[in-house]
Amino acid sequence: MGQPPEPDQPPSPYEPPPGGQEPQYGQPYGQQPQYGQPYGQQPGEQYEQPAYGQPAYEHPGQPPHGQQWGQQPPYAPQVPYGQYGPPGGPGSGRGTNVLAILSLVFAFVFAPAGIALGHLAKRQLRTSGEDGEQLARWGLILSYIFTGLFLLACCGWLALVIWAGSDGTNT
């Protein structure tokens, strides 16, 4: 372990260098860091402090490592007044049509109102581009089914009353 390295081999990184001096972290053997010298800069290289407000690049042509204090991040360009923004596909955050939701709710509460709200919702959805097409469709389907069942129950009840009121004799 204390043997000098052979001439063709580099010195071992596990042994202290000859001469008794310990290298500083990140510095080659024999070179000590100087006060005020930026990390990674070789001795003898000229270091220029950037002017106030100028980005401090470590290497020319490369962006800085972080956002400089006092600078705002870049924003997307504003759309001119009176023009539309980028087109949005289905589910682009425009929201769900309120009438479509109410159509589905009223299908269970008062089905004829659910029918009217479902048709109004479908008309609005054709022009507004909102979400809720399936809600309006299911609101209409359930409203028609429950209205049909209610009418069938009313007709059956009426027929039962008429049948029970007759005593079976013809006059």
Side-chain angles (χ1 to χ4, degrees):
M1 187 155 114
Q3 300 175 0
E6 295 183 21
D8 294 339
Q9 295 181 349
S12 170
Y14 300 110
E15 295 182 14
Q21 62 178 355
E22 288 292 322
Q24 296 292 327
Y25 179 74
Q27 295 292 328
Y29 290 129
Q31 295 180 0
Q32 298 296 322
Q34 298 174 359
Y35 179 75
Q37 177 180 342
Y39 179 75
Q41 185 177 6
Q42 299 296 325
E45 275 186 42
Q46 190 66 16
Y47 176 72
E48 296 179 16
Q49 180 73 24
Y52 179 76
Q54 297 296 319
Y57 295 114
E58 291 185 9
H59 299 287
Q62 292 183 353
H65 289 289
Q67 182 70 31
Q68 299 293 321
W69 288 98
Q71 294 180 352
Q72 290 185 334
Y75 292 103
Q78 296 292 324
V79 178
Y81 179 76
Q83 295 182 1
Y84 295 108
S92 63
R94 297 191 94 178
T96 304
N97 189 299
V98 175
L99 292 179
I101 297 169
L102 290 176
S103 169
L104 188 60
V105 169
F106 273 93
F108 296 99
V109 177
F110 185 64
I115 293 172
L117 290 171
H119 284 293
L120 288 173
K122 287 182 81 72
R123 181 182 299 167
Q124 278 187 359
L125 288 171
R126 276 182 268 173
T127 59
S128 70
E130 292 176 307
D131 294 332
E133 180 69 31
Q134 287 189 343
L135 289 174
R137 182 180 301 128
W138 279 105
L140 279 171
I141 290 170
L142 292 174
S143 294
Y144 276 120
I145 289 173
F146 291 144
T147 300
L149 289 175
F150 178 75
L151 289 175
L152 189 61
C154 286
C155 290
W157 181 77
L158 189 58
L160 184 64
V161 167
I162 292 173
W163 178 73
S166 67
D167 56 358
T169 60
N170 287 340
T171 44

